Amino acid sequence: MARLLTLTLNPALDLSVSLERLVPGTVNRTRETHLTAAGKGVNVARVLVALGHEVTVSGFLGADNDGPFLRAFEALGVEDAFLRVPGETRINAKLSEADGQVTDINGPGAAIGDDAWQRLLDWLAARLDNTERRPAAVVIAGSLPPGVTPERLAALIEQLREAGLPVWVDTSGEALDRAIAARPTAVKPNEQELATWAGEALTSAEARLRAALRLYAAGVEEALLSAGPDGVLWVSARGAWQAVPPRLTVASTVGAGDTLLAALLHGVVEGHTAEQTLRLATALSAESVRHVGVGNPRATDFPHLQQQTRVRRLNDVDAGGAIA
């Protein structure tokens, strides 16, 4: 198994609330409520650990309320390399309704000054110089906190790539645009995010494939598109692949994308075939929607979920990002 690093620049304490239906302006009764140390990179780390990898987590945490993160990292068995900054880590509310709709109420996060950013860069440089602790790949996931601009994110990606590290990115908005321009190894947008970048509505399978091919042609070696029940597209040097998950009752989609990214990275670093990799990643992402949290590869019926996941190769992909 591999040594991997996740960077969560804007983590959060996630207040996940399940309810039948959200009715604004009224008193709503919850079915379940959970407060979890989270952030997309932390969620990715949870999956990678479950799949057997040695994981280091880093980024920025508010020093005033890092207790839940300390306990979570200890329970996970990950190396805590988060840099503490003054103030509190934000609390995000995620309201999941019975029909699968999720309403996110996210805070901006603690402001990151120049000194804190430089501390992170210095730590990364030292870690990359340490042959015993150097990661096999880096995942940068989540939004950017105040003080960390999309330009800084792009420069970070370029520095890590120049150092010879695979860099997997999951972010959105302008940060996603700048990240793609910096040519990370992998990017995992959802339909809306990729549609915004591509400048066209992805209302058909052909449009989704066309946009994923454009992403690959832009220099992203592993172009991964998650389209919910319509499945997953993965375009790389291995060809263009599609997977459709089994139909399941959706309790919460929070964590599904993080699960997909982590499981696909697992398959790539372990050298699994494209079919094996995409089948596991898609099935594990589907498993996650049945409950709050990330996918559980130890679920008793997980082998059955993999069997129910349909995977097919669409065709080869040439260097220009076109179907060959």
Side-chain angles (χ1 to χ4, degrees), residues 226-305:
S226 57
D230 291 326
V232 178
L233 279 175
W234 179 25
V235 178
S236 74
R238 304 164 191 80
W241 290 79
Q242 181 188 44
V244 178
R247 296 288 180 177
L248 298 170
T249 300
V250 176
S252 172
T253 59
V254 176
D258 305 327
T259 300
L260 178 68
L261 176 69
L264 196 89
L265 174 58
H266 162 76
V268 169
V269 299
E270 290 300 302
H272 295 166
T273 68
E275 182 176 358
Q276 289 173 324
T277 297
L278 188 56
R279 184 180 302 279
L280 182 141
T282 304
L284 192 57
S285 178
E287 197 286 326
S288 75
V289 307
R290 303 188 298 185
H291 53 81
V292 174
V294 297
N296 177 16
R298 299 184 185 86
T300 56
D301 64 343
F302 184 59
H304 183 58
L305 293 181

Side-chain angles (χ1 to χ4, degrees), residues 22-92:
L22 176 63
V23 183
T26 69
V27 175
N28 291 266
R29 302 295 180 184
T30 68
R31 295 187 298 185
E32 288 184 289
T33 304
H34 302 274
L35 184 64
T36 309
K40 294 184 74 65
V42 176
N43 291 340
V44 168
R46 283 191 167 92
V47 179
L48 291 173
V49 168
L51 292 170
H53 297 281
E54 180 183 337
V55 181
T56 299
V57 292
S58 188
F60 302 105
L61 280 179
D64 293 348
N65 64 342
D66 68 347
F69 290 91
L70 287 171
R71 292 188 290 273
F73 298 156
E74 183 178 0
L76 275 173
V78 299
E79 178 191 5
D80 174 13
F82 269 92
L83 304 180
R84 270 55 175 183
V85 296
E88 294 187 343
T89 298
R90 62 190 178 141
I91 297 177
N92 291 341

Side-chain angles (χ1 to χ4, degrees), residues 137-138 161 165-170 176 179-180 183-189 194 211-226 232-241 260-261 263-274 277-278 317:
V138 178
R161 295 294 286 138
L165 279 180
V167 181
W168 290 52
V169 176
D170 185 5
L176 175 62
I180 292 171
R183 296 195 171 189
T185 308
V187 173
K188 188 215 67 64
L194 186 59
L213 287 166
R214 282 185 57 193
L215 188 58
Y216 176 75
V220 176
E221 299 170 22
E222 313 285 353
L224 183 65
L225 169 63
S226 57
V232 178
L233 279 175
W234 179 25
V235 178
S236 74
R238 304 164 191 80
W241 290 79
L260 178 68
L261 176 69
L264 196 89
L265 174 58
H266 162 76
V268 169
V269 299
E270 290 300 302
H272 295 166
T273 68
T277 297
L278 188 56
V317 177

